[in-house]
Amino acid sequence: MTVITIDRVPTEVPTELARGRGGGGPAPKRTVVAYGFWIFILSDMIMFSALFAAFAVLRGNTAGGPAGSELFNLRNVFIETMCLLFSSYTCGLGALSAERRQPARFLIFAAATFVLGAAFLAIELTEFAHMIAMGAGPSRSGFLSAFFTLVGTHGLHVASGMIALVYLTAQVIAMGLRPAVLRRLLCWSLFWHALDIVWVGVFTLVYLLGDYQ
């Protein structure tokens, strides 16, 4: 009896039928980058949620010091808010210009976004300096510690976003709107819009409600 050995070469499975590869190979880099950046933004939202919770608990702990109604200038805060909201609008127009491969228009909207962000930070730092000069620094009470931590953390995010915008604008000038640069710009625009959402919460909880506590 003869035993015949047949060497079978495994046939390659077509890419579109491969399991575990999304039905067509690895996901595009743009999708992977966007997914990872969304995870980063969600983790940032969790951090801000904790800061909001801490402020809500400590807002009444003034330790005999000044409360929000004695410290906040709602006129300045309104101007500050408008600066950030309009910067989100110019940011969106800049992202649309980048997607349409219009670098000149992008640079105009990027400059407008930077100026509005700088105005927001200038008003915020002026407010902080005025409060500290009045003896209402972060060590004065639990309320002020929570206030400076929440609002200051948001301000640091705005400052880091402005630095990132300068870096990305330099990349656009040097390399143009190639796919890798465009991916970074779109991720940055998501970050900037997220900061606006956080600020709406700050404006409502800290300033509007805090001014009438």
Side-chain angles (χ1 to χ4, degrees), residues 12 14 44 50 53 67 71 73-74 77 89 91 103 118 139 144 164 189 191 194 202:
E12 185 176 348
D44 227 26
L71 296 171
N73 184 330
L74 288 185
V77 175
Y89 176 67
C91 167
S139 61
L144 288 169
S189 67
F191 174 74
V202 171

Side-chain angles (χ1 to χ4, degrees), residues 168-183:
L168 290 171
T169 301
Q171 285 196 330
V172 171
I173 295 173
M175 299 185 290
L177 290 168
R178 60 178 62 181
V181 176
L182 185 59
R183 278 196 303 271

Side-chain angles (χ1 to χ4, degrees), residues 36-79:
F37 203 78
W38 271 113
I39 292 176
F40 162 72
I41 290 178
L42 289 175
S43 66
D44 227 26
M45 293 300 108
I46 292 172
M47 180 193 68
F48 275 111
S49 298
L51 295 178
F52 275 117
F55 179 84
V57 171
L58 296 173
R59 60 184 297 176
N61 296 351
T62 59
S69 56
E70 304 170 64
L71 296 171
F72 302 149
N73 184 330
L74 288 185
R75 176 181 173 275
N76 290 341
V77 175
F78 176 76
I79 296 173

Side-chain angles (χ1 to χ4, degrees), residues 98 103 106-107 110 162-188:
F106 165 76
L107 293 176
M162 291 171 60
I163 294 171
L165 177 59
V166 171
Y167 172 73
L168 290 171
T169 301
Q171 285 196 330
V172 171
I173 295 173
M175 299 185 290
L177 290 168
R178 60 178 62 181
V181 176
L182 185 59
R183 278 196 303 271
R184 299 182 192 117
L185 282 172
L186 296 179
C187 287
W188 176 85

Side-chain angles (χ1 to χ4, degrees), residues 13-28 31-32:
V13 180
T15 304
E16 62 272 10
L17 299 179
R19 290 180 173 273
R21 295 187 180 182
T31 302
V32 174

Side-chain angles (χ1 to χ4, degrees), residues 126-175:
T126 301
E127 177 190 36
F128 284 178
H130 177 68
M131 291 174 64
I132 293 172
M134 293 174 56
S139 61
R140 178 65 182 81
S141 64
F143 158 67
L144 288 169
S145 294
F147 168 81
F148 276 95
T149 302
L150 173 58
V151 181
T153 300
H154 179 269
L156 286 174
H157 277 67
V158 173
S160 64
M162 291 171 60
I163 294 171
L165 177 59
V166 171
Y167 172 73
L168 290 171
T169 301
Q171 285 196 330
V172 171
I173 295 173
M175 299 185 290

